[in-house]
Amino acid sequence: MWREVLRLLKEKKYIPPQRLTAQLNISFNQLEECLLKLKNLGYQIEEDSYLGYYLISSPDRLFPWEIKYNLSTQILGRKIYYFENVESTQDIAFEKFYEGEGTIIVAEGQSKGRGREGRRWLSFPYKGIYFSLILKPEVSYKFSLISLLLSVSIAEAIDDAFGIKVGIKWPNDLLLADKKVGGVLIEGYKRGEFIFIVAGAGININNERKELPSCGISLKEFLGRKINRVDFFKKILESTERNYVLFKKESFLILEKWKGFNVTLGRRVVAISGNQKVEGKAFALDKCGYLLIKKDDGKIEKISHPQIFQQNFKIFW
Ligand code: BTN
């Protein structure tokens, strides 16, 4: 019931208690309980003796009902699991393999946030956005493109929300001023026809300098102002869904979009995969999103996607 009270408070500037109780068919006592619950969750609600209740502010929390409020997606966010703190949202997503496509696991903080290549992902509580999406695409050969898809979608959401263009270092590191503002980790498994992808992303949003590694940057640090994490998260989900729908029809289009943010192609790179080291000029992506490197002897090496099925991989320049 408190969610209904919240919805009405969000819709109107002031709303008299009589209107709330009548519209929701509840007693004044029940209304008081709802308001108390909302205040305990961190909502600031003012009461004016003439005009009624007024929602002053919502808490800086990624509550599922806040994310779903006016969210325009059909698939992503159909179900959202919210946690204050978890070891890793990726692990929770794997436990929920039975859930439908588009289920989201989001946490305010992670004690063992996982990055690529076995690295840690620092997940300062209430400062970033840390989430994992459950995806169940149909055709397996396109999986490697999903990590490009998620990084492109986050890049587009940043452009849309703040008018700034991030760079994407292959395959999916999001860079601002040459520092990492976000990263994507794709894990999954396939058994027979059953395919399960967990697409995770961590984005530094309101972190202060001391809450970031030296190679990291937050949107707040770059823009010089605090960001509304809920609004921005919605934009990420909307752009991801748009791209996902497009991808299901024309998977190669994501490659074109990725190139618009690329900061890898055209540069010299050293790619390390297991005990193999490949050095040369990164010059193209193939249709699966794999990186093509032209070595100094003219030979071309293909670097396959590192995240899928947790292969060990490193790339840097
Ligand atoms: C990277 O750049 O190395 C990838 C970082 C991915 C971090 C996110 S945070 C949410 C999800 N849960 C995890 O444990 N990792 C991913």
Side-chain angles (χ1 to χ4, degrees):
M1 189 51 67
W2 57 269
R3 291 187 198 202
E4 291 303 299
V5 173
L6 179 62
R7 190 177 53 78
L8 290 177
L9 285 171
K10 275 177 182 281
E11 276 167 15
K12 306 253 181 313
K13 196 157 162 55
Y14 282 97
I15 180 158
Q18 301 83 337
R19 178 112 63 88
L20 278 167
T21 51
Q23 250 179 277
L24 300 173
N25 200 17
I26 56 173
S27 68
F28 282 98
N29 274 349
Q30 285 172 310
L31 176 60
E32 281 303 312
E33 278 170 27
C34 292
L35 291 168
L36 188 64
K37 166 88 184 171
L38 288 169
K39 285 176 187 169
N40 286 339
L41 284 169
Y43 291 91
Q44 261 190 294
I45 299 161
E46 189 185 87
E47 189 181 357
D48 180 279
S49 46
Y50 291 106
L51 300 170
Y53 293 109
Y54 169 50
L55 179 65
I56 301 174
S57 68
S58 301
D60 179 15
R61 294 287 180 273
L62 297 165
F63 291 144
W65 56 88
E66 288 291 344
I67 295 166
K68 284 185 180 179
Y69 186 74
N70 286 344
L71 180 71
S72 68
T73 58
Q74 306 292 315
I75 311 165
L76 303 190
R78 277 194 282 220
K79 201 164 192 181
I80 302 177
Y81 288 93
Y82 169 84
F83 298 89
E84 282 283 323
N85 191 49
V86 289
E87 287 197 344
S88 160
T89 55
Q90 295 288 104
D91 295 340
I92 310 268
F94 274 104
E95 285 164 17
K96 301 206 178 292
F97 64 91
Y98 52 85
E99 287 290 3
E101 170 150 278
T103 300
I104 297 171
I105 322 296
V106 61
E108 299 287 5
Q110 300 181 113
S111 55
K112 289 188 187 161
R114 201 157 58 238
R116 290 195 287 120
E117 307 151 35
R119 285 188 306 237
R120 277 290 183 85
W121 182 261
L122 275 185
S123 312
F124 241 81
Y126 310 111
K127 294 298 176 83
I129 297 180
Y130 320 109
F131 70 97
S132 300
L133 296 175
I134 293 177
L135 298 176
K136 297 180 173 175
E138 290 124 39
V139 191
S140 61
Y141 81 88
K142 294 173 182 167
F143 284 7
S144 54
L145 299 177
I146 288 179
S147 74
L148 305 189
L149 185 153
L150 189 52
S151 56
V152 164
S153 303
I154 297 169
E156 285 182 347
I158 291 176
D159 191 6
D160 182 27
F162 314 113
I164 48 175
K165 198 149 183 200
V166 296
I168 306 179
K169 182 178 121 183
W170 187 84
N172 52 29
D173 285 348
L174 294 146
L175 306 181
L176 261 182
D178 273 339
K179 292 186 168 190
K180 191 153 162 174
V181 69
V184 167
L185 175 69
I186 306 292
E187 297 174 309
Y189 60 75
K190 180 173 185 280
R191 196 163 294 149
E193 286 306 291
F194 181 70
I195 283 147
F196 183 76
I197 295 278
V198 175
I203 306 140
N204 303 322
I205 309 282
N206 287 320
N207 310 58
E208 308 297 336
R209 172 93 314 268
K210 61 178 186 304
E211 299 164 346
L212 292 162
S214 57
C215 59
I217 190 167
S218 71
L219 284 169
K220 181 183 176 193
E221 194 181 14
F222 187 82
L223 292 166
R225 66 180 165 91
K226 194 175 174 205
I227 308 299
N228 182 318
R229 291 183 306 146
V230 171
D231 289 349
F232 179 51
F233 191 29
K234 285 185 192 176
K235 284 207 185 286
I236 292 177
L237 296 178
E238 286 164 356
S239 63
T240 306
E241 177 154 315
R242 255 194 323 271
N243 284 322
Y244 191 51
V245 170
L246 197 71
F247 162 82
K248 284 184 167 185
K249 287 192 205 132
E250 301 279 7
S251 61
F252 68 89
L253 286 179
I254 205 64
L255 293 170
E256 290 310 308
K257 285 196 172 205
W258 185 91
K259 283 180 200 156
F261 295 98
N262 142 67
V263 292
T264 301
L265 301 183
R267 297 183 73 159
R268 261 195 97 71
V269 299
V270 179
I272 300 168
S273 182
N275 48 16
Q276 202 202 348
K277 184 173 162 189
V278 180
E279 205 168 339
K281 188 172 172 188
F283 72 97
L285 299 187
D286 78 354
K287 69 177 175 29
C288 294
Y290 297 161
L291 187 66
L292 300 178
I293 298 178
K294 190 170 192 177
K295 296 199 294 187
D296 295 339
D297 63 7
K299 285 202 185 114
I300 289 169
E301 290 274 351
K302 186 190 306 194
I303 306 297
S304 65
H305 225 274
Q307 289 77 20
I308 303 294
F309 308 118
Q310 301 187 42
Q311 287 169 17
N312 244 350
F313 182 89
K314 250 186 212 160
I315 180 157
F316 51 88
W317 64 79

